[in-house]
Amino acid sequence: MLIGTSENLSQLSYASLAESVINSNLIAAEPKNSYQTHTPQWVEVLVDVPGVQGLYTYSLPADLLVCVGDIVSVPFGIQITGGIAIGISTKPPADLDSTKIRPIEDVVISGFFPQQYWELLNNIADYYCTDLMSAIRVALPPGLLGRSQRRIRLNKGAIPPGAEHFCSVIALKVLKLLQNQKDGDYSVNYLRNQVKGASRGIRELNKRGWIENYLEAPKRAKPKLKTAITLVGGSLLNDLTTRQKEILSILKNEGGEAWQTEFVKSHQTSTKILKALVDKGYIILDDREILRKEQGVAQDGDRPKELSQDQANALQVINAQTGYAQILLHGVTGSGKTEVYLQAIAPVLAQNKSALVLVPEIGLTPQLTDRFRARFGTQVCVYHSKLSAGERYDTWRQTIQGEPQVVIGTRSAIFAPLPNLGLIVLDEEHDSSFKQNRPAPTYHARKVANWRAELDDCPLILGSATPSLESLVAVRGDKALKDTASHKTGRRGDMASISKRFYLSLPARIASRPLPKVTIIDLRQELSRGNRSIFSLSLQNAIADMQERGEQGILFIPRRGHSTFVSCRSCGYVMECPDCDVSLSYHYTHEGAAKLLRCHYCNYTRIQPNSCPECSSPYLKFFGSGTQKVTQELTKLFPELKCIRFDSDTTRNKGAHRELITQFTNKEADILIGTQMLTKGLDIAGVTVVGIVAADGLLHRSDYRAAERAFQTMTQVAGRAGRGDTPGKVIVQTYSPEHPVIQAVKTHDYHSFSAAELAEREELNYPPYGKLILIKLSSIDSREVEQAAEKLADLLIDLLSPEYDILGPAPASVMRVARRYRWQILLKFSQSETDSPDLNILPDNADLLVSHKERLSRLRSHLPKSVSMTIDIDPINMD
């Protein structure tokens, strides 16, 4: 039986827990503070088990050293799970029988979770309304907090002939599943998912002795070992063969050490000869750990470049910061923001500190890491989700060591445990990819980076050509923004400081290169001229001219795949996903292949029927355009052009981002066709033409951020043109040429656009002036989730208005996804009210200070168990 302490977290908030840990003298991040094991000790562990909130007490075996903050594995019920050592004591809790307290199994990682890291995780758990273990789990690489699982294995020798006649229907289904599996082995959870009532069948088979159950240990990432050869013998003796003497001589000339695999291959020897030398005492073979890291491509050394006056001014302000500061580096595309980052990081490394550089997409890392490695060499490492589990594990462990280094990664890299952090950079800080949508906590890397910069007392640089309105208001303040409508992009030296917050402007491209000329094409006029092609005549001419000059181009389309939907021209029927309320998209594979329809929400896939399922008409037609269709149509118009498609379909494999970009950079293709990936950080000098094929796909979305996102996306993709010596040209195709966003993109006028957009946001009390919390409800029963949403909304209106606007309940924009019906309620309140809105819906105990997430957890008590609820603080996506 599992023994829990009296300090169960259903009674003690995680905020209080973290505060007590931080303020206690138990906190210890260094192994030197480990506890002696010659006296009995007990450890309080925060366990990683879904649905369990509590501290549990375990005894400390005599052969283990444990520090507060260590990651440990412990028995929990019938399984082994991961946990965090929170406290250590020489006495067990008074209310527990020490003889019934189970021992810790093992220490997974020691010397982690320093004080400021605890504070960071507690901030995340409290602000984003989740438990502390969820915040810890998202901060660690996969495999550290492993969990054992119960498995079932056939006892083949005990099963008699004709066994199927002796067991129940459910037991027979379980038996058949096991017999059809190669090893006759499945997890209990898998069997339960496949067979309704499987537990009864498992019990029956177990009583008969036909199966056995066992506990599979947690699967954790392990260090990678490699065999090394080390020369230890003296002068050559007569007991050696001629070949053995040659091997020893080669090894001595190579410094006395080598990796066995490479040595055997390069010198055409064998492991048999090496083992003979081991037996004679001339060499030793030993396994050594090697770090699995993303290696990239070897780069020629790079020296700092001469800065423009604007760059030099910005760098001077950054280097002058000796502690925390939030710095918004607003530089137009091609203005040299990356060079400012590089020169700001150099003195940080010289001070034996580390830097953390975050980018929004994995596709952005190859070019950026190549440039950083050219400047800083092996001090650069990469961390993102496309690395293997082993690579992430080793990179994460390397960051703990404290050596000065630069870690480049996506949003999860914000948790890299660098103990001596000197600078944080968020490149393309406006990008929505910095927001985690699932699993909980739904954190935004920009906010977490700001907390971490404060805790580590180091500067935070937010870089973008199109800063988010939240960052703009945060650093410049409302007073400075009153005049932005008259602010011109060419104005120099614009800097505002609000108590360690700085706005730095890079208003011009390096080498005085002009911003690309933007031409707006009215597709309505194209239709009136009889042009029904995806490409306007202007875009076709621009591509033809580009081809003749041997230059390169980029075509942007918001959607991947071939066609947005398939519809019957006879009755209007649209092929839809059976599990989601969306149409199926057509994906072209190759000529003659079956026509594949796919759902972009749940990945449901089916073959397109030959006739309409509704009226049996054979006239099914594709509508809308994706990257595949644009590629096909372009090839028809320009068969001699070489095209590369760059979207999530073509970059699924490891290394695909680098491979495709390298091909395009090396001019192995003329046109790069892709989705939002194209907007982020690509710096290719040969690109002179950019075509935005369907701008309207960005403009008309049911989201208050639609205009801001459309402006950012189009401005960013337009900025890929003209980065070399040849001026760039951008062609925007739209049915709404008069739209304010289109006009702002045409003139590259961020300041006028942001001033107008902020005025609307302020009037409607939307961020950055207001705060939002999105409550999402889902269930497989449509009526049940609708009723639950209505009940919850009524309760919130009664208790929270008028301080809070309760918008909804309303069905999500895509009401059904993966067979679950979705409703949502939006809470809107003034920024000035509080950063932690009072959602204590129970009026009793009004004087009790309860944490943010505990208040929200009370909402769940008003819902049926079959209705799930998630809380999204500061939501980015409203669907």
Side-chain angles (χ1 to χ4, degrees), residues 198-488:
S199 296
R200 295 199 305 274
I202 291 172
R203 286 195 297 270
E204 179 182 333
L205 295 174
N206 192 51
K207 286 181 179 179
R208 294 178 180 273
W210 297 354
I211 62 171
E212 56 185 21
N213 63 75
Y214 67 98
L215 195 65
E216 183 182 52
K219 295 180 180 179
R220 297 191 179 94
K222 297 180 180 179
K224 183 178 181 179
L225 301 178
K226 192 172 183 179
T227 303
I229 311 169
T230 305
L231 181 65
V232 294
S235 58
L236 302 180
L237 299 180
N238 294 329
D239 62 342
L240 297 176
T241 66
T242 301
R243 182 55 178 159
Q244 288 173 344
K245 292 178 181 178
E246 289 176 357
I247 294 300
L248 291 179
S249 178
I250 293 171
L251 188 58
K252 184 177 181 180
N253 292 336
E254 292 186 359
E257 285 191 334
W259 293 115
Q260 176 179 294
T261 304
E262 287 81 355
F263 189 85
V264 168
K265 185 176 181 180
S266 60
H267 299 295
Q268 297 180 344
T269 185
S270 66
T271 55
K272 184 178 180 180
I273 293 176
L274 296 179
K275 288 180 179 178
L277 289 172
V278 171
D279 294 338
K280 294 178 179 181
Y282 287 94
I283 65 171
I284 59 173
L285 301 178
D286 64 311
D287 290 336
R288 301 180 188 177
E289 182 183 354
I290 60 170
L291 291 176
R292 295 158 288 194
K293 299 191 300 180
E294 193 273 337
Q295 300 297 330
V297 177
Q299 302 295 317
D300 295 332
D302 175 45
R303 298 180 63 85
K305 296 175 174 57
E306 183 178 351
L307 300 179
S308 68
Q309 188 60 52
D310 292 316
Q311 288 175 303
N313 291 342
L315 183 63
Q316 182 180 8
V317 173
I318 294 169
N319 287 343
Q321 308 309 311
T322 57
Y324 168 76
Q326 189 180 44
I327 302 164
L328 178 59
L329 183 62
H330 179 194
V332 299
T333 55
S335 60
K337 294 185 292 296
T338 303
E339 184 63 29
V340 174
Y341 303 154
L342 289 165
Q343 296 197 28
I345 288 171
V348 172
L349 296 176
Q351 297 166 20
N352 286 323
K353 294 183 177 181
S354 294
L356 183 57
V357 180
L358 302 185
V359 294
E361 291 277 0
I362 292 170
L364 193 53
T365 54
Q367 274 200 321
L368 196 68
T369 52
D370 288 350
R371 190 165 174 186
F372 271 72
R373 281 181 172 137
R375 189 71 58 88
F376 302 123
T378 57
Q379 288 182 292
V380 176
C381 60
V382 178
Y383 189 86
H384 55 69
S385 61
K386 283 295 178 72
L387 299 178
S388 68
E391 287 173 332
R392 292 178 71 184
Y393 174 66
D394 284 356
T395 302
W396 183 85
R397 286 194 304 137
Q398 181 187 345
T399 61
I400 301 178
Q401 305 305 318
E403 295 294 325
Q405 56 194 298
V406 181
V407 176
I408 301 176
T410 48
R411 65 173 178 261
S412 60
I414 189 58
F415 300 107
L418 294 163
N420 202 13
L421 189 57
L423 179 67
I424 303 176
V425 177
L426 256 76
D427 192 28
E428 310 293 358
E429 66 85 27
H430 66 277
D431 200 283
S432 60
S433 298
F434 282 124
K435 180 74 157 75
Q436 167 117 333
N437 291 319
R438 60 181 183 271
T442 57
Y443 68 93
H444 197 299
R446 184 176 59 226
K447 180 172 283 292
V448 177
N450 191 56
W451 287 333
R452 186 159 188 191
E454 288 184 296
L455 291 168
D456 284 88
D457 198 27
C458 70
L460 166 65
I461 301 176
L462 306 174
S464 178
T466 54
S468 64
L469 298 182
E470 287 88 345
S471 294
L472 187 66
V473 169
V475 298
R476 297 193 67 187
D478 287 336
K479 182 179 184 299
L481 290 170
K482 298 298 183 182
D483 302 325
T484 51
S486 60
H487 184 96
K488 300 302 180 183

Side-chain angles (χ1 to χ4, degrees), residues 461 723 865:
I461 301 176
R723 288 174 171 253
K865 290 184 178 180

Side-chain angles (χ1 to χ4, degrees), residues 19 48 62 110 117 125 153 182 215 224 297 312-313 411 470 556 567-568 629 641-642 696 710 743 761 871 875 878:
E19 183 179 356
D48 177 29
S110 185
Y117 208 90
R153 182 166 49 207
K182 179 181 177 182
L215 195 65
K224 183 178 181 179
V297 177
N313 291 342
R411 65 173 178 261
E470 287 88 345
F556 169 79
S567 178
C568 173
K629 187 173 183 180
L641 277 181
K642 296 180 180 178
D696 301 277
Q743 293 302 312
R761 299 274 187 93
I871 308 296
M878 308 299 289

Side-chain angles (χ1 to χ4, degrees), residues 93-110:
D95 58 341
L96 295 181
D97 182 354
S98 61
T99 62
K100 296 183 179 180
I101 298 178
R102 301 166 74 180
I104 285 179
E105 289 282 330
D106 198 5
V107 176
V108 180
I109 287 289
S110 185

